[in-house]
Amino acid sequence: MSLDQLIAQCKKNDAQAQSQIYKLYANKLFSICLKYSRNYAEAEDNLQDAYVTIFKKIDQFKSKGSFEGWLKRITINTALQRYRSVGVFDIINEDQIEDVSVEVDEDNIALDFLLQIIQELPDRYRLVFNLYALDDFSHKEIAKMLDISIGTSKSNLARGRLILKNKIEQYKANSNLQSL
């Protein structure tokens, strides 16, 4: 069955078509859930919730743009929904923002370690970092998605980057000590 046929069948609540869509995209969508979740179990919950929303709203997909992009947007929004009402964001004066860059030598740092330290970031920093650095949203888009100011988005990104930078430097220092 083609993707268009699967989507049409999903719009009719066909369980087999839904299962096929799940199998086709579960790994990609789960990796998104991992980025926006505190841990593996929360990522699993977010994936489950995302698929519930996807199949509930599949009638809204009008084949304008990519289906995968539509799925990713729903998945990100589902994961973010957990944090919107909790108030995890601080209001920041934009004058306090200092830009921090993070240099990552991918050959010397394990991907699992990077994912772990990103997941360990406080919610407000992790969400903004992922949206900006990994999913290429602008601060204006992030502010709208999270119902925060652009300054708060910038500040949370800078603070998240600083935490990551410190953890990466500590990891490198420990790695250098062990190799001596």
Side-chain angles (χ1 to χ4, degrees):
M1 221 184 274
S2 75
L3 182 59
D4 289 336
Q5 291 170 321
L6 283 173
I7 293 168
Q9 289 303 112
C10 285
K11 288 179 180 183
K12 296 176 183 176
N13 290 321
D14 181 293
Q16 284 184 317
Q18 290 173 339
S19 177
Q20 287 286 66
I21 294 288
Y22 179 87
K23 289 175 187 172
L24 281 171
Y25 295 101
N27 289 337
K28 287 180 183 177
L29 299 182
F30 186 68
S31 68
I32 291 169
C33 291
L34 276 173
K35 288 191 306 189
Y36 290 95
S37 302
R38 292 180 190 107
N39 54 50
Y40 196 88
E42 187 177 284
E44 289 177 322
D45 290 345
N46 283 333
L47 181 66
Q48 171 82 20
D49 293 346
Y51 269 107
V52 168
T53 302
I54 287 165
F55 293 130
K56 193 183 298 182
K57 295 186 175 193
I58 198 153
D59 282 333
Q60 295 177 12
F61 179 71
K62 304 296 181 198
S63 299
K64 294 179 182 173
S66 107
F67 183 64
E68 186 174 329
W70 185 78
L71 295 174
K72 287 179 179 180
R73 185 70 128 187
I74 288 177
T75 303
I76 290 170
N77 282 327
T78 299
L80 294 180
Q81 192 63 37
R82 290 185 184 273
Y83 304 104
R84 284 191 183 109
S85 60
V86 181
V88 298
F89 298 99
D90 298 328
I91 305 302
I92 302 296
N93 180 343
E94 288 188 49
D95 297 335
Q96 299 172 351
I97 301 168
E98 179 182 328
D99 194 24
V100 177
S101 65
V102 179
E103 299 294 324
V104 178
D105 180 6
E106 290 130 9
D107 295 335
N108 295 328
I109 298 179
L111 185 58
D112 289 344
F113 172 74
L114 289 174
L115 180 58
Q116 176 190 338
I117 64 173
I118 290 170
Q119 285 178 322
E120 289 172 354
L121 286 172
D123 295 337
R124 62 187 172 266
Y125 303 153
R126 184 183 69 254
L127 298 175
V128 173
F129 177 82
N130 285 331
L131 288 167
Y132 186 85
L134 303 179
D135 289 321
D136 296 323
F137 286 97
S138 70
H139 285 294
K140 184 177 180 180
E141 292 169 314
I142 294 167
K144 185 175 180 181
M145 291 170 81
L146 299 176
D147 195 26
I148 59 175
S149 72
I150 292 171
T152 300
S153 178
K154 289 178 180 180
S155 173
N156 287 334
L157 175 64
R159 290 178 181 185
R161 282 180 169 168
L162 184 60
I163 292 169
L164 292 174
K165 180 180 179 181
N166 291 337
K167 287 186 178 197
I168 289 168
E169 287 172 356
Q170 185 177 14
Y171 175 84
K172 286 179 178 179
N174 289 341
S175 296
N176 288 337
L177 287 175
Q178 291 176 0
S179 65
L180 293 177

